[in-house]
Amino acid sequence: KYAQSLTKAPVKGMLTGPYTICDWSFNEHYSTRRDLVLDLAKVIRDEALDLERAGAKFIQIDEPAASTRMDELDLVIESMAVVTEPLSAHTITHICYGDFHNAYPKMLDIPVDQIDLEFANSDYSLLEEFSDHPFTKYIGFGVVDVHSHHEETVEEIAEGIRRGLKHIPADRIFVDPDCGLKTRTVEEAKTKLTNIKKAVDVVRAEL
């Protein structure tokens, strides 16, 4: 509530998803992982509803662990449904680096409005999958590699955005870094973010 009171721009609420909390915890109580994940989902749902009541128009439920066990993607989908079903906010999930070529297009069944994915680190290879199975959600489109000291130029980023536009309509693309920038120096992070903004302006002027 305090953060939203400081700006007219939307403040995004951020939560760790139930599957990841389970996967990164020591379970000494529940008989199955599914039981733990679904109980956690109910708690995360309550947190998300509190964020929505506080004014959050965007709520992101991150599931970075989902990429480590693609065989449990059904459980990610089931638990995310518990979290997002009562929400009216724009919902997002971010899944960190993983075997997305095998997870796609099934990942589209995750019940969120937007999926945030890395593209720069893999040279946009996942876009090949979109030719056979169109991406049907809003997308967080990662255009700078957060694991590299290389400071992508405005033109490099703009070209990445153009590649994405061949597969996804412009009004469904949110351009962003591949993942969090905590591994970069402050100056590297500033440069990457500044160049993203400049590249978006360049491509937008072309549309």
Side-chain angles (χ1 to χ4, degrees), residues 45-70:
R45 176 193 61 202
D46 291 346
E47 293 286 330
L49 285 167
D50 282 345
L51 283 169
E52 189 170 77
R53 283 189 285 267
K57 299 293 191 295
F58 292 78
I59 298 177
Q60 182 163 324
I61 306 104
D62 284 337
E63 289 288 18
S67 63
T68 62
R69 296 175 186 256
M70 287 299 181

Side-chain angles (χ1 to χ4, degrees), residues 62-194:
D62 284 337
E63 289 288 18
S67 63
T68 62
R69 296 175 186 256
M70 287 299 181
D71 59 311
E72 290 191 335
L73 193 54
D74 282 329
L75 182 53
V76 175
I77 293 167
E78 183 181 10
S79 60
M80 189 66 76
V82 174
V83 177
T84 61
E85 191 277 329
L87 299 176
S88 58
H90 180 97
T91 54
I92 308 162
T93 193
H94 176 73
I95 302 173
C96 287
Y97 305 90
D99 189 9
F100 293 131
H101 289 278
N102 285 330
Y104 192 81
K106 189 175 180 61
M107 69 167 66
L108 294 174
D109 293 337
I110 299 174
V112 290
D113 299 308
Q114 176 179 330
I115 300 178
D116 196 352
L117 297 170
E118 296 95 358
F119 286 90
N121 180 266
S122 62
D123 193 30
Y124 300 86
S125 62
L126 188 59
L127 288 175
E128 300 166 9
E129 306 287 343
F130 295 177
S131 296
D132 296 327
H133 300 279
F135 195 86
T136 55
K137 297 179 181 286
Y138 290 93
I139 191 166
F141 194 72
V143 293
V144 296
D145 187 353
V146 301
H147 294 305
S148 171
H149 292 290
H150 172 62
E151 295 176 355
E152 293 88 348
T153 67
V154 172
E155 183 51 34
E156 284 177 310
I157 298 170
E159 184 53 33
I161 298 171
R162 295 184 191 108
R163 291 171 71 176
L165 286 169
K166 294 177 181 177
H167 300 272
I168 307 166
D171 61 359
R172 286 202 275 118
I173 296 177
F174 289 75
V175 181
D176 58 12
D178 271 3
C179 196
L181 288 161
K182 67 180 182 180
T183 60
R184 300 300 94 219
T185 66
V186 172
E187 290 308 313
E188 287 172 342
K190 285 182 177 179
T191 299
K192 286 175 182 280
L193 290 172
T194 299

Side-chain angles (χ1 to χ4, degrees), residues 4-54:
Q4 191 62 75
S5 74
L6 300 177
T7 178
K8 293 182 179 179
V11 174
K12 180 169 69 174
M14 301 283 290
L15 296 166
T16 302
Y19 181 84
T20 295
I21 293 177
C22 167
D23 200 54
W24 292 355
S25 301
F26 293 100
N27 173 24
E28 298 179 343
H29 176 74
Y30 290 84
S31 58
T32 69
R33 285 168 60 87
R34 180 176 178 272
D35 288 341
L36 172 54
V37 171
L38 293 182
D39 264 8
L40 285 167
K42 296 171 186 175
V43 179
I44 302 302
R45 176 193 61 202
D46 291 346
E47 293 286 330
L49 285 167
D50 282 345
L51 283 169
E52 189 170 77
R53 283 189 285 267

